[in-house]
Amino acid sequence: MSSPPGVEKRKATAPISPPPTKRSLQSGTTSKGALERGRNLANPKSVESAISNFFTPTSQKPKDRTSWSERKDDPDKPATLLVGKYTPETESKETQLRRKIAAFDLDSTLIDTSSGRKHAKDALDWRWWDARVPGKLKELYEDGYHVAILSNQGGITLHIDPKQKAPQKHTAKRLEEFKEKGSAVLRHLDLPVAIYAATGKDNFRKPRRGMWDEILKDMGLEAKDVDLEQSVFVGDAGGRVATVMNGAAIVKDFSCSDRNLAHNVGVPFKTPEEYFLGQAPRKWERDLDLVHYPLGSEDAPAALFEKKNEKEIVVFCGRPGAGKSTFYWTQLEPLGYARVNQDTLKTREKCLQAAKEFLDDGCSVAVDNTNADAATRKIWIDLAQSFGVPVRCVSFTTPAAVCRHNDALRSLNKSLNPEDREVLPEVAFTGFQSRYKPPQESEGFQDVTEVEFRFRGTPAEYQIWARYWL
């Protein structure tokens, strides 16, 4: 009978050692401190084994049973997902599909560095996060789970850009070291497990569900076929806040991406401390919690803006990703406003020229730019005065975290990105914040309308929006 994720069926904590012939590529940890902590399952003589193995003829060395391949998120771009599949020598011939998935982050969840450094110094610099890890994964496999490893690896590159400034030799070395370490981890487990490593910032990167979907493809399953309640994702990026335990300060998690991936695919989430050690959950929080932005009523939305003058200029003000363009298409375009937008026209001068032409033709104009400060907004106020028309302002108060979410969502979903915009650099957000001054009527506006963020799309669009993308 299946045991719930994270509940051990037996108390044994003895490490599961790999076959003697396979110990030569295990972790190179030999420090007394690491061995005393009992967290390194590698052979204490691993260094000697590695040296001995160096002089072993190739024909006598054990076969590397991990095959590596690459996959694309976009058919028009280079591959960004690295997949390493391990095939045990005595592979079982299963006829029944496994419908429970136990997926794990790699670094700081299944393994740590044996050197104590934050980042591994080479392919041998690793040890199990805890002595119980390999035994627990073996239990899961025997209990009918499909076991997989999902890891963000932004530090490695699959296809070197010839224009990059960093030495290409160093880039290639990091990739080979990751493969060597990954092969060693899988060889220790000696189970039909695959590592999925996302090297780009596309749909494969956690918390986006691209790697999870690749697991389903490899299993021959559709999402509806997975037993989500019994499945689990375990990772250290759980959004836990800083705390003090037993007199020692514990820093906050670097992100909440692992917990958010579990949310996106609909499975329970556990930290490694909860799953492997049985510790109680710590307090955690997200920078953006989508529960605060539910889908609104399906009834026709009330008009958020009305035209007051026969001809006028409406100046938008708000962060990138605040919803300005969507507001134009749903609220102002139906009222006959012409749009000028610097993302499409590229320069302010072209925006001004387009606005003048629209005004000459008798059209009202919506200025769909960020317009962060009074000096920038004054350019449009002056234009309105030169044409003798009123100028109004719409101020978007969308929180910064929602704006970043919207920007990532837009760049990764073509159906929600009609203008094919690329993801914005961080400076676009920090630059706006450094210049931002809330608009005031005293600047010369007839009125200032504030617009709070609410998701106003369709239920189908909300299913995409309500996933975590950062």
Side-chain angles (χ1 to χ4, degrees), residues 263-282:
H263 168 92
N264 285 347
V265 301
V267 300
F269 171 78
K270 298 282 187 179
T271 64
E273 288 81 3
E274 295 165 22
Y275 194 79
F276 294 115
L277 307 183
Q279 293 183 6
R282 277 171 46 196

Side-chain angles (χ1 to χ4, degrees), residues 76 127 198 347 430 435 457 465:
D76 298 325
R127 65 183 180 195
T347 68
T430 57
R435 296 183 294 111
W465 186 88

Side-chain angles (χ1 to χ4, degrees), residues 23-274:
R23 292 183 180 176
S24 59
L25 288 181
Q26 296 170 357
S27 168
T29 302
T30 56
S31 68
K32 180 178 178 181
L35 294 174
E36 287 176 349
R37 286 193 294 271
R39 296 180 63 186
N40 180 17
L41 299 187
N43 189 334
K45 298 182 179 180
S46 57
V47 173
E48 290 85 348
S49 298
I51 295 173
S52 175
N53 189 62
F54 178 81
F55 294 102
T56 302
T58 302
S59 60
Q60 298 180 24
K61 292 181 180 179
K63 177 184 177 181
D64 185 356
R65 308 197 67 84
T66 302
S67 60
W68 295 94
S69 62
E70 299 175 359
R71 302 182 189 179
K72 294 184 175 184
D73 176 50
D74 187 329
D76 298 325
K77 295 181 180 180
T80 58
L81 181 65
L82 179 66
V83 180
K85 286 189 173 183
Y86 181 84
T87 304
E89 188 171 358
T90 56
E91 185 180 11
S92 62
K93 305 297 181 182
E94 294 185 349
T95 58
Q96 186 174 0
L97 290 174
R98 293 171 178 250
R99 301 184 185 277
K100 300 179 296 182
I101 300 175
F104 298 84
D105 182 33
L106 179 62
D107 300 305
S108 301
T109 297
L110 295 183
I111 64 173
D112 265 337
T113 62
S114 55
S115 63
R117 297 162 53 130
K118 183 176 181 179
H119 301 292
K121 61 182 179 180
D122 54 39
L124 296 177
D125 187 13
W126 73 274
R127 65 183 180 195
W128 293 113
W129 183 84
D130 185 83
R132 284 162 278 200
V133 169
K136 181 58 186 175
L137 268 57
K138 183 176 179 65
E139 284 185 25
L140 287 165
Y141 179 76
E142 292 174 347
D143 202 20
Y145 280 83
H146 179 87
V147 180
I149 302 171
L150 308 181
S151 178
N152 284 347
Q153 292 291 332
I156 62 177
T157 303
L158 300 186
H159 297 276
I160 299 174
D161 183 351
K163 298 180 181 179
Q164 76 170 32
K165 296 181 180 179
Q168 295 187 6
K169 182 178 179 181
H170 177 69
T171 302
K173 179 183 178 183
R174 295 187 70 172
L175 174 59
E176 290 308 311
E177 286 183 345
F178 178 81
K179 287 182 177 180
E180 184 179 346
K181 180 172 68 174
S183 294
V185 171
L186 296 178
R187 187 163 43 251
H188 272 196
L189 292 174
D190 198 28
L191 298 170
V193 174
I195 292 178
Y196 299 80
T199 67
K201 294 183 178 180
D202 49 25
N203 277 298
F204 291 132
R205 185 174 179 82
K206 294 181 296 183
R208 303 153 197 168
R209 55 174 295 152
M211 285 194 286
W212 180 272
D213 291 336
E214 291 299 308
I215 295 177
L216 302 189
K217 291 177 185 177
D218 292 343
M219 294 175 67
L221 292 179
E222 295 183 17
K224 63 181 178 61
D225 298 324
V226 180
D227 185 345
L228 296 177
E229 291 185 359
Q230 288 298 312
S231 297
V232 68
F233 184 74
V234 181
D236 66 305
R240 292 169 292 182
V241 301
T243 188
V244 175
M245 294 181 64
N246 300 323
I250 300 178
V251 299
K252 69 176 184 178
D253 289 347
F254 67 93
S255 82
C256 199
S257 60
D258 289 334
R259 188 184 300 274
N260 289 346
L261 170 64
H263 168 92
N264 285 347
V265 301
V267 300
F269 171 78
K270 298 282 187 179
T271 64
E273 288 81 3
E274 295 165 22

